[in-house]
């Protein structure tokens, strides 16, 4: 799950990472009120789930409440990289003496956790990795051991061993690592983490906040699932998710219902070779029961793009007869103008094929044959396209 | 000879009394796997058919000297079950669940490495060494004993590939499901040396897909360290960028990183034979095997 900046700031506050003062505005008037309350220049940031927001015009500044109202109405009218702006974070504008980058992420290559720090914050970290890689410090952390003090020594070096600054950075790193494990993060990032000079002291403050959590951990992240904005999901993907299926929405005409992602992707590839595009993919996962199959059909037919349904099953833990029963059960819910093509292989194949044949449905053993049937159908019924 | 599992495998089934655990224990036994015990907390001193059930992995191991465990355990209990098995000194752990939290797997992978315990999965159908042992739930009738070692991220595509080969009379030494998740216990790289050392394996087949860099890393390693020929099939040519294609690990990042084209290119650069269709696998391997025959006479 991905989260808006204002959500992540709430988590930061809860876990002791200092952010700038700010509130969410749902309208230009609210932006005006917030700026008036703050009695200081503000920065207005569009709350959208995409990076590169600044470059795309999603960040504005305002010296006073009137200007904030104007800036807000401009932002609400914009689309930032295709995303609508429904919420704006109005935050106190701080004078940033220096901008750093700090992030903690799962390192899929090394299969460890990586803590990444740079003294060149405020820019796209991936760009920096290409242009100026020696400005990036990357520390691999063994998750069995967790973050230790010695992991942070390379960071001290980049700060020229400034004790005061490093002490603050250490504290923030530890809190960020706590957030990373506590909230099952794939990535949690502060860019920029800025040095702000006050009258008496210098402080490190999180100016931005980003967090992406692991969907597999949703069951144990009640707070996160509550925070999550489901309107950012595709309709069919959301319906599928609620029904318990991994569902992928694409923009073609064939619905692929499969007992495994690999086989589904392969069917997508094969259809593509014949210039036929896929409307959606639904993964039944292993061991599906007839009721589960029926539930799956209920999901895919809510996708208005679907003109053909392809069942592509090579059963291991999945039993073909169970799938076949489910298909037959769901026939009455499938509009008659949507052909159903079935391919069954693997566990209990013969039983499954018999059940389908008895109901008047063709059943193919090989995927290539099922695909060819779809090609024929589409060529004959030109209007299917 | 095969890798990871063979006739000496003594298997514990964790979660044996569950619906899938019991069903597949029977199928594994039928295939010839030596299932020596089951573990379900609270069910000690019961049996599944004639297989004794224990409360803990340690008790099961002490009683039977088991060396392998398969976990028919839900995602949320998987981390605990893996660590328990590892602590009990099980040498090979196969975890099949799909949906295990990433950080749980991150922990387990690193923990098992310290104990020299091999971990396969998650999100995998398991391992089969045809004619010797099956530790998993794949439909065993499609496999034949032979010279091709297979490792695959996708379960269903590994079935397709094995089926294709067996139909042409070409058997498999061991078929390993490395799993569809982005963090897995053993990567292609981890398994290559095992196949290299296995006398029965003459050709290694990789079934990969979009996402990550495991295929590329394996190919680069193989060029310098593996003498046996490598064949690969990569699924996901037609997958759009930025979409997670079912498997948690199957995503092409904007800009093309993890994409099928790039993978195939790097594989070919490193001497891997890349096939475009699953049905071409057997043709290529037949060629390779007859070349080997010619050379060795």
């Amino acid at each position: 799950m991905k989260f808006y900046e204002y959500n992540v700031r709430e988590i930061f506050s809860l876990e002791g990472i200092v952010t700038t003062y700010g509130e969410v505005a749902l309208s230009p008037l609210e932006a005006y009120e917030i700026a008036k309350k703050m009695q200081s220049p503000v920065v207005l940031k569009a709350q959208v789930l995409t990076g590169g927001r600044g470059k795309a015009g999603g960040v504005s500044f305002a010296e006073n409440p009137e200007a904030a109202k104007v800036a807000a109405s401009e932002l609400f009218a914009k689309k930032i990289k295709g995303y609508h702006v429904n919420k704006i974070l109005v935050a106190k504008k701080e004078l940033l003496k220096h901008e750093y980058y700090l992030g903690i992420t799962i390192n899929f290559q090394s299969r460890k956790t990586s803590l990444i720090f740079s003294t060149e914050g405020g820019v796209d970290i991936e760009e920096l990795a290409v242009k100026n890689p020696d400005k990036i410090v990357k520390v691999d952390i063994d998750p069995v051991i967790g973050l230790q003090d010695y992991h942070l020594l390379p960071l001290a070096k980049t700060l020229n061993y400034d004790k005061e600054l490093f002490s603050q950075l250490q504290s923030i790193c530890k809190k960020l690592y706590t957030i990373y494990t506590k909230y099952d993060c794939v990535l949690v990032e502060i860019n920029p983490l800025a040095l702000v000079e006050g009258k008496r002291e210098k402080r490190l403050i999180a100016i931005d906040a980003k967090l992406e959590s692991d969907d597999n951990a949703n069951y144990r992240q009640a707070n996160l699932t509550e925070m999550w904005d489901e309107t950012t999901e595709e309709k069919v993907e959301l319906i599928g998710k609620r029904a318990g299926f991994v569902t992928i929405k694409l923009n073609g005409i064939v619905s692929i219902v499969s007992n495994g992602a690999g086989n589904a992707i392969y069917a997508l590839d094969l259809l593509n070779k014949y210039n036929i595009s896929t409307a959606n993919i639904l993964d039944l996962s292993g061991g599906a029961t007839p009721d589960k199959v029926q539930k799956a059909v209920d999901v895919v037919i809510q996708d208005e793009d679907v003109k053909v349904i392809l069942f592509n099953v090579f059963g291991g833990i999945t039993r073909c007869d169970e799938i076949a029963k489910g298909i037959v059960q769901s026939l009455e819910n499938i509009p008659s103008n949507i052909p159903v093509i079935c391919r069954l292989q693997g566990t209990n194949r013969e039983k499954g094929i018999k059940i389908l044949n008895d109901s008047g449905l063709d059943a193919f053993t090989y995927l290539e044959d099922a695909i060819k049937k779809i090609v024929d159908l589409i060529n004959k019924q030109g209007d299917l396209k | 000879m095969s890798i990871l599992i063979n006739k000496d495998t003594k298997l514990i089934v964790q979660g044996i009394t569950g619906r899938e655990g019991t069903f597949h224990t029977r199928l594994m036994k039928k295939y010839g796997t030596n299932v020596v015990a089951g573990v379900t907390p609270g069910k000690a001193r019961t049996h599944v058919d004639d297989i004794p059930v224990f409360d803990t992995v340690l008790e099961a191991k002490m009683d039977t000297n088991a060396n392998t465990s398969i976990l028919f355990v839900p995602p949320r209990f998987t981390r605990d079950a893996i660590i328990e098995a590892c602590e009990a000194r099980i040498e090979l752990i196969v975890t099949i669940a799909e949906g295990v939290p990433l950080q749980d797997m991150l922990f387990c992978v690193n923990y098992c490495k310290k104990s020299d315990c091999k971990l396969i999965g998650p999100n995998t159908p398991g391992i089969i060494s045809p004619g010797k042992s099956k530790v998993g739930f794949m439909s065993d009738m499609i496999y034949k004993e032979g010279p091709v070692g297979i490792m695959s991220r996708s379960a269903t595509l590994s079935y397709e590939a094995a089926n294709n080969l067996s139909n042409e009379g070409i058997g498999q030494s061991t078929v390993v499901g490395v799993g569809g998740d982005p963090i897995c216990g053993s990567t292609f790289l981890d398994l290559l040396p095992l196949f290299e050392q296995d006398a029965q394996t003459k050709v290694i087949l990789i079934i990969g897909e979009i996402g990550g860099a495991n295929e590329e890393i394996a190919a680069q390693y193989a060029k310098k360290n593996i003498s046996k020929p490598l064949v690969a099939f990569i699924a996901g040519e037609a997958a759009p960028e930025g979409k997670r294609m079912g498997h948690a690990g199957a995503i092409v990042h904007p800009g093309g990183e993890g994409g099928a084209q790039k993978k195939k290119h790097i594989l070919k650069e490193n001497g891997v034979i890349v096939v475009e269709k699953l049905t071409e696998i057997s043709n290529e391997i037949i060629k390779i095997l007859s070349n080997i025959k010619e050379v060795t006479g």
Side-chain angles (χ1 to χ4, degrees):
Chain A
M1 292 189 287
K2 291 187 175 166
F3 297 91
Y4 295 113
E5 178 188 10
Y6 77 91
N7 292 130
V8 186
R9 284 162 50 99
E10 279 168 39
I11 295 173
F12 280 10
S13 290
L14 208 62
E15 304 293 335
I17 293 183
V18 178
T19 60
T20 53
Y21 180 75
E23 283 178 47
V24 173
L26 300 175
S27 69
L29 183 60
E30 280 186 19
Y32 174 89
E33 309 270 289
I34 297 167
K36 189 167 173 206
K37 210 170 28 168
M38 279 194 222
Q39 295 187 326
S40 88
V42 296
V43 53
L44 299 102
K45 301 203 259 184
Q47 298 298 283
V48 286
L49 292 176
T50 176
R53 174 182 54 174
K55 274 190 188 160
V59 177
S60 301
F61 296 91
E63 289 295 308
N64 56 59
E66 250 327 302
K69 188 159 82 173
V70 173
S73 53
E74 279 169 8
L75 275 177
F76 278 121
K78 276 188 188 173
K79 258 180 151 188
I80 308 296
K81 286 189 166 178
Y83 289 85
H84 288 286
V85 180
N86 297 318
K87 294 179 181 168
I88 294 177
L89 177 71
V90 182
K92 180 161 183 261
K93 184 178 173 203
E94 299 280 355
L95 191 60
L96 311 181
K97 289 254 109 179
H98 197 104
E99 296 176 66
Y100 303 96
Y101 172 96
L102 179 64
I104 301 181
T105 180
I106 295 180
N107 186 329
F108 293 100
Q109 219 86 291
S110 66
R111 289 177 288 175
K112 293 199 195 306
T113 295
S114 282
L115 184 145
I116 305 169
F117 179 75
S118 175
T119 53
E120 306 292 309
V123 294
D124 185 68
I125 190 72
E126 265 138 39
E127 256 180 61
L128 189 66
V130 171
K131 288 184 188 159
N132 226 343
D134 26 289
K135 288 293 182 182
I136 297 179
V137 178
K138 198 181 198 185
V139 182
D140 261 7
I141 298 165
D142 184 329
V144 174
I145 298 169
L147 179 65
Q148 301 295 318
D149 283 343
Y150 72 83
H151 287 128
L152 300 177
L153 290 177
L155 275 62
K157 190 172 179 196
T158 67
L159 296 181
N160 294 318
Y161 300 102
D162 179 329
K163 269 192 185 161
E164 165 58 39
L165 202 53
F166 181 61
S167 165
Q168 283 190 47
L169 180 61
Q170 258 187 324
S171 169
I172 292 170
C173 285
K174 288 179 181 175
K175 289 175 182 161
L176 199 65
Y177 189 82
T178 298
I179 291 172
Y180 168 79
T181 52
K182 189 170 169 185
Y183 295 88
D184 275 300
C185 297
V186 176
L187 164 74
V188 63
E189 186 183 82
I190 307 176
N191 188 23
L193 173 66
L195 181 62
V196 172
E197 257 177 46
K199 288 191 178 131
R200 266 164 278 158
E201 21 128 73
K202 42 188 185 184
R203 292 182 307 153
L204 282 175
I205 300 185
I207 304 298
D208 198 350
K210 181 177 174 183
L211 192 153
E212 188 182 334
S213 72
D214 172 21
D215 283 354
N216 281 350
N218 286 356
Y219 75 87
R220 61 188 187 197
Q221 294 291 347
N223 292 338
L224 285 184
T225 42
E226 226 183 272
M227 247 185 200
W228 175 64
D229 180 4
E230 64 178 33
T231 66
T232 58
E233 289 266 310
E234 283 274 2
K235 179 178 143 211
V236 163
E237 290 182 3
L238 192 58
I239 295 172
K241 199 182 229 179
R242 287 207 187 111
F245 302 109
V246 171
T247 316
I248 304 157
K249 174 72 187 131
L250 302 165
N251 48 22
I253 60 171
V254 179
S255 168
I256 303 173
V257 179
S258 189
N259 70 307
N263 220 353
I265 298 173
Y266 185 48
L268 170 87
D269 287 347
L270 284 181
L271 285 167
N272 186 57
K273 284 196 165 37
Y274 292 100
N275 287 322
I276 298 171
S277 51
T278 299
N280 62 54
I281 291 177
L282 185 144
D283 186 358
L284 288 168
S285 203
T289 57
D291 281 343
K292 220 175 167 190
V293 175
Q294 180 149 25
K295 260 192 178 169
V297 171
D298 288 341
V299 172
V300 302
I301 55 176
Q302 289 187 59
D303 182 350
E304 290 145 1
D305 295 336
V306 173
K307 304 270 189 288
V308 181
I309 300 177
L310 166 65
F311 286 93
N312 178 21
V313 171
F314 198 136
I317 205 168
T318 297
R319 305 172 215 180
C320 292
D321 50 340
E322 298 284 275
I323 301 292
K325 282 183 202 153
I327 295 173
V328 169
Q329 244 172 255
S330 24
L331 279 177
E332 54 181 24
N333 289 340
I334 301 177
S336 51
N337 62 329
I338 295 182
V340 174
I341 310 295
C342 305
R343 181 270 176 129
L344 296 180
Q345 250 283 33
T347 308
N348 291 355
R349 172 179 70 100
E350 270 133 21
K351 277 192 199 161
I353 290 183
K354 181 162 193 311
I355 292 171
L356 290 178
N357 288 338
D358 286 348
S359 280
L361 285 169
D362 276 335
F364 297 94
T365 301
Y366 297 101
L367 181 59
E368 282 77 2
D369 296 334
I371 301 281
K372 286 204 183 105
K373 176 78 191 200
I374 295 178
V375 177
D376 284 341
L377 273 174
I378 289 179
N379 287 337
K380 276 185 199 149
Q381 302 171 24
D383 63 352
L384 264 183
K385 268 201 157 128
Chain B
M1 276 182 63
S2 73
I3 71 166
L4 297 172
I5 62 172
N6 54 33
K7 289 204 147 76
D8 297 332
T9 296
K10 293 165 101 175
L11 183 68
I12 287 176
V13 178
Q14 289 175 249
I16 193 172
T17 55
R19 173 179 176 251
E20 300 300 337
T22 303
F23 182 78
H24 288 286
T25 295
R26 291 183 171 136
L27 291 180
M28 286 187 286
K29 254 198 96 180
K30 197 166 170 210
Y31 190 75
T33 305
N34 188 10
V35 185
V36 298
V39 174
T40 296
K43 294 274 167 72
R45 287 173 298 284
T46 65
H47 285 77
V48 169
D49 300 340
D50 59 353
I51 302 164
V53 181
F54 297 84
D55 279 336
T56 68
V57 180
L58 186 61
E59 286 166 340
K61 156 112 195 198
M62 292 200 322
D63 197 87
T64 63
N65 208 19
N67 51 23
T68 305
S69 177
I70 183 167
L71 273 52
F72 279 93
V73 163
R76 67 183 69 186
F77 304 126
T78 291
R79 176 190 138 128
D80 188 83
I82 291 174
I83 297 171
E84 187 193 348
C86 185
E87 292 264 274
R89 295 261 176 278
I90 298 294
E91 292 159 30
L92 170 65
I93 302 171
V94 178
T95 176
I96 64 158
E98 178 169 17
V100 181
L102 287 172
Q103 289 204 19
D104 285 3
M105 277 321 297
L106 212 63
F107 186 93
C108 290
V109 165
N110 285 279
Y111 189 82
C112 288
K113 273 214 163 98
K114 296 185 199 324
S115 319
D116 232 0
C117 161
K118 290 195 168 64
L119 183 60
I120 301 286
N123 194 6
T124 173
I127 312 169
I128 185 167
S129 292
K132 302 183 186 83
S133 188
K134 172 173 112 157
V135 177
F137 58 74
M138 55 280 281
S139 170
D140 50 60
M141 61 183 191
I142 63 175
Y143 302 88
K144 243 173 92 72
E145 207 168 344
V148 182
I150 305 180
M151 39 189 189
S152 175
R153 285 167 65 186
S154 158
T156 46
L157 292 182
S158 70
Y159 307 157
E160 300 271 6
N163 194 42
N164 177 252
L165 285 167
S166 297
N167 282 346
E168 299 298 324
I170 308 166
Q172 306 89 42
S173 52
T174 303
V175 182
V176 185
V178 308
D181 279 9
I183 300 284
C184 56
S186 297
T187 59
F188 294 138
L189 175 65
D190 292 328
L191 297 174
L192 279 175
L194 302 182
F195 279 123
E196 176 75 356
Q197 286 157 28
D198 174 42
Q200 184 184 343
T201 302
K202 304 278 188 272
V203 184
I204 302 167
L205 172 63
I206 293 178
I207 311 283
E209 58 198 36
I210 51 168
N214 279 335
E215 293 83 354
E216 296 93 309
I217 291 169
Q220 283 157 350
Y221 173 84
K223 185 163 189 203
K224 299 191 181 132
N225 301 287
I226 303 293
S227 64
K228 298 179 183 177
L230 251 69
V231 179
F233 171 80
I234 307 292
E237 267 280 353
E241 277 181 10
K243 273 252 179 221
R244 209 166 295 274
M245 301 299 291
H247 278 162
I251 178 167
V252 182
H253 289 288
E257 187 201 311
Q261 284 287 36
K262 204 167 168 209
K263 271 185 199 289
K264 291 185 206 181
H265 179 72
I266 293 178
L267 260 52
K268 286 181 196 165
E269 262 186 359
N270 286 282
V272 178
I273 297 165
V274 178
V275 297
E276 290 298 319
K277 280 187 170 172
L278 277 175
T279 42
E280 285 169 14
I281 289 175
S282 45
N283 292 339
E284 282 304 327
I285 291 184
I286 288 172
K287 274 190 228 162
I288 293 170
L289 290 173
S290 57
N291 284 343
I292 294 176
K293 244 190 171 163
E294 275 174 32
V295 168
T296 57

